[in-house]
């Protein structure tokens, strides 16, 4: 062990570790704003910041391939799909009462429990896992591609089908909304003509009233 490695510790972090911590705090803050804001478009934009922060974290961990996959798939595809869904369904840009729920404490309890379970599962799964620094890079394109298309093909395809179903659902909802608005417009246009009396009816009523006066 060299003198530099011996002197390095928790109280003397490197620049990469400080950057990793700062980016992690920004990512965490963006994720919190994403799930707490009442404006749907702002939530989608803050989601871009959170996913971009994760890509930067991957870069700091020297996993360049995973970082670019994060940008291309999540930032470039998932967020764009969400924005298209918001535009197709004509979601309100401003504050929406529908985006607020009265069950905040229940949602917070479920979120904390899910996060604790996820941390416990990951820590238990990789507790005895060691990375061979002298071997091939764990985040290289060859290793990640082999692991993705050998062990994770089914979840990868299921995710693509899920995204396609979400886009189709947004299109269906937008078509229903357009047809409903068209029906309301036609009824509004027809109601004034039905309410207005016809000229012949007015003349006949006027004639009868004149005859009654006589």
């Amino acid at each position: 062990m060299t003198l530099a490695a011996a002197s390095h510790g928790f109280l003397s972090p490197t620049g990469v570790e400080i950057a990793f911590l700062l980016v992690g705090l920004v990512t965490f803050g963006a994720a919190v704003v994403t799930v707490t804001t009442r404006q749907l478009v702002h939530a989608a934009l803050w989601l871009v910041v959170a996913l971009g922060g994760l890509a930067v974290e991957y870069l700091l961990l020297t996993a360049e391939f995973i970082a670019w996959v994060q940008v291309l798939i999540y930032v470039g595809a998932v967020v764009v799909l969400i924005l298209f869904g918001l535009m197709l369904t004509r979601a309100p840009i401003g504050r929406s009462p529908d985006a607020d729920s009265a069950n905040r404490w229940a949602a917070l309890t479920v979120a904390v429990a899910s996060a604790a379970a996820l941390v416990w599962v990951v820590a238990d799964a990789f507790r005895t896992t060691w990375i061979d620094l002298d071997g091939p890079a764990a985040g290289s394109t060859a290793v990640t591609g082999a692991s993705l298309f050998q062990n994770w093909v089914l979840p990868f395809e299921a995710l693509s089908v899920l995204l396609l179903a979400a886009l189709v659902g947004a299109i269906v909802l937008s078509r229903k909304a357009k047809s409903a608005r068209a029906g309301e417009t036609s009824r509004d246009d027809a109601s004034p003509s039905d309410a207005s009396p016809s000229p012949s009816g007015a003349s006949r009523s006027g004639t009868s009233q004149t005859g009654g006066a006589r």
Side-chain angles (χ1 to χ4, degrees):
M1 181 181 296
T2 61
L3 181 60
S7 61
H8 175 65
F10 180 76
L11 297 179
S12 58
T14 61
V16 175
E17 293 174 347
I18 295 175
F20 186 88
L21 179 61
L22 294 178
V23 174
L25 292 176
V26 172
T27 304
F28 179 76
V32 170
V33 175
T34 300
V35 298
T36 55
T37 183
R38 295 184 182 180
Q39 299 187 8
L40 297 178
V41 178
H42 289 182
L45 296 178
W46 280 110
L47 181 61
V48 174
V49 178
L51 296 177
L54 289 178
V56 176
E57 299 283 58
Y58 287 133
L59 281 177
L60 294 175
L61 293 174
T62 66
E64 293 85 1
F65 177 71
I66 303 296
W68 292 120
V69 167
Q70 174 81 12
V71 172
L72 292 176
I73 294 181
Y74 287 95
V75 179
V78 175
V79 177
V80 171
L81 177 63
I82 293 174
L83 292 176
F84 267 103
L86 293 177
M87 289 187 293
L88 289 174
T89 55
R90 295 182 180 274
I93 298 178
R95 290 181 176 270
S96 176
D98 298 334
D100 192 13
S101 176
N103 301 322
R104 291 187 176 183
W105 290 109
L108 180 61
T109 303
V110 172
V112 171
S114 301
L118 181 61
V119 170
W120 181 81
V121 168
V122 172
D124 184 70
F126 295 96
R127 182 178 300 169
T128 58
T129 302
W130 295 89
I131 298 176
D132 186 11
L133 299 179
D134 296 330
S140 62
T141 306
V143 176
T144 305
S147 176
L148 178 62
F149 292 103
Q150 287 180 0
N151 305 323
W152 303 96
V153 176
L154 184 59
F156 186 77
E157 295 298 329
L159 178 62
S160 48
V161 173
L162 178 63
L163 295 177
L164 179 61
L167 183 58
V168 172
I171 295 175
V172 172
L173 291 176
S174 65
R175 292 178 65 88
K176 288 183 179 179
K178 287 181 180 179
S179 61
R181 284 193 298 270
E184 292 177 358
T185 304
S186 62
R187 287 195 299 268
D188 293 339
D189 294 340
S191 57
S193 60
D194 296 339
S196 60
S198 59
S200 59
S203 61
R204 285 195 300 269
S205 62
T207 306
S208 60
Q209 290 175 0
T210 306
R214 289 175 183 177

